Amino acid sequence: MDRAGDDRFALWPRLPARLLLAVLAGLLVAAALVPIGIGARTISTPAFGQEQTAEKARDNDLALYDRAVARVRGGERYYDFIAEEHRRSDFPLRPGLAVRLPTLVYIQVALGDTGLALAAILLVLAVLAAWWQRLGEEPGGIKRRPLAMALLLIGVSLGTNRYFFALHEMWSGMLLALAFGLHRPGKWLAAVPVAALALAIREHALPFVLLMGAMAAWRRDWKETAAWMVLAAAFLIGLAIHLGLVEQHVLPGDGHSASWLALRGLSGWLSDIVLSSNLRFLPHFIAGPLVVLMALGWSGWRSSAGSFGALLYLGYAAAFMIAGRNDNYYWGAMVAPAMFIGLAFATRALKSLWNVSFARS
């Protein structure tokens, strides 16, 4: 058996491989059984181009930002009315992070409905093109590129569903998928502005930026490290300004958000990924294990993309297990699009673990 190449687990000693195989078996069984929670609300997802005919069918979060777009188009300023809209929807205003950054609202106003639809299509095509190129440059990528691209298409196709055009996490997550695909160790200039836009839309992109900086520091690429740290610092300054502007409109009687420290465990991670992706169309006992196998595929891919992807997706997995309520399931859209690529490497990773664990001495 070749113990090099693009197969990370082929390099492992037998005992750790057996332990991981046992843990993996337990996770797959648990993933098929634990509940997938969405809270008290449900959503409908009309196809791209289909008109929304009933406001009552619109998710409350999305309806709030539909109204925000309409009011900015009418000449109002975001921070002058967003607190009022939160009260109208019975949404909290404390802490200020409960109020979204205004970036996406102003983008929607600037582009209009037709422009936004075109932007969604172009973004999907850009993600596919970036990953076609990157898969061709990574060890083992060309061999698995057809399957990986088919899986990526499943992951990113949700980005053309107009129902979700008001969802900050969808746009931010698609931009992170593009930034990831554009990035190379030593070639990072194109990825930084894309990640910056993702961060300006949703602060949940900050772990991506920090991990990029940490990985650059590990490689001792100090210019890249500085670029990501400057971006993080600039964002934190912008976020402080945002919180200050929100605070100016908070009244003594405005509500506090329920704690995001929900400790949902495995169910939280699986719920966020499944419900914010096209996995939601599959039976629970299939969708849950597929998420685990995605993470395994990234972890077993011995390449710069595999290393970063494994740390990124396992890091967000830990975050979703600890933080986020059931009705915050859409947070999973931050990482779901490109995560699908991991399935292309999952079978190889399973085979490698099995061979290492039970190969004859």
Side-chain angles (χ1 to χ4, degrees), residues 185-255:
K187 298 180 180 179
W188 45 269
L189 287 175
V192 173
V194 176
L197 181 56
L199 192 55
I201 290 174
R202 192 68 165 106
E203 66 274 11
H204 289 358
L206 184 58
F208 178 96
V209 172
L210 295 178
L211 180 59
M212 277 289 184
M215 294 290 282
W218 178 264
R219 295 189 300 270
R220 298 181 181 274
D221 186 336
W222 305 121
K223 287 185 178 180
E224 182 181 353
T225 302
W228 292 112
M229 293 304 99
V230 167
L231 173 57
F235 165 73
L236 291 175
I237 293 171
L239 181 62
I241 294 172
H242 166 75
L243 295 176
L245 291 171
V246 171
E247 183 62 28
Q248 294 177 15
H249 298 276
V250 175
L251 302 176
D254 288 329

Side-chain angles (χ1 to χ4, degrees), residues 71-156:
R71 294 186 70 162
V72 171
R73 282 176 177 164
E76 297 183 72
R77 296 184 301 181
Y78 182 82
Y79 290 104
D80 290 343
F81 66 77
I82 195 62
E84 174 189 333
E85 288 294 344
H86 268 243
R87 296 184 191 105
R88 174 180 172 183
S89 298
D90 197 26
F91 285 173
L93 283 162
R94 294 190 177 97
L97 289 173
V99 178
R100 296 288 182 271
L101 295 163
T103 311
L104 181 57
V105 169
Y106 282 100
I107 290 174
Q108 289 179 276
V109 172
L111 294 180
D113 293 340
T114 301
L116 199 65
L118 179 60
I121 295 171
L122 292 176
L123 181 55
V124 167
L125 293 176
V127 173
L128 293 171
W131 274 101
W132 176 268
Q133 184 68 26
R134 180 151 198 185
L135 285 164
E137 298 174 9
E138 296 283 349
I142 291 181
K143 179 180 179 180
R144 296 171 183 84
R145 185 160 62 178
L147 177 58
M149 292 301 297
L151 291 164
L152 177 61
L153 180 58
I154 295 172
V156 301

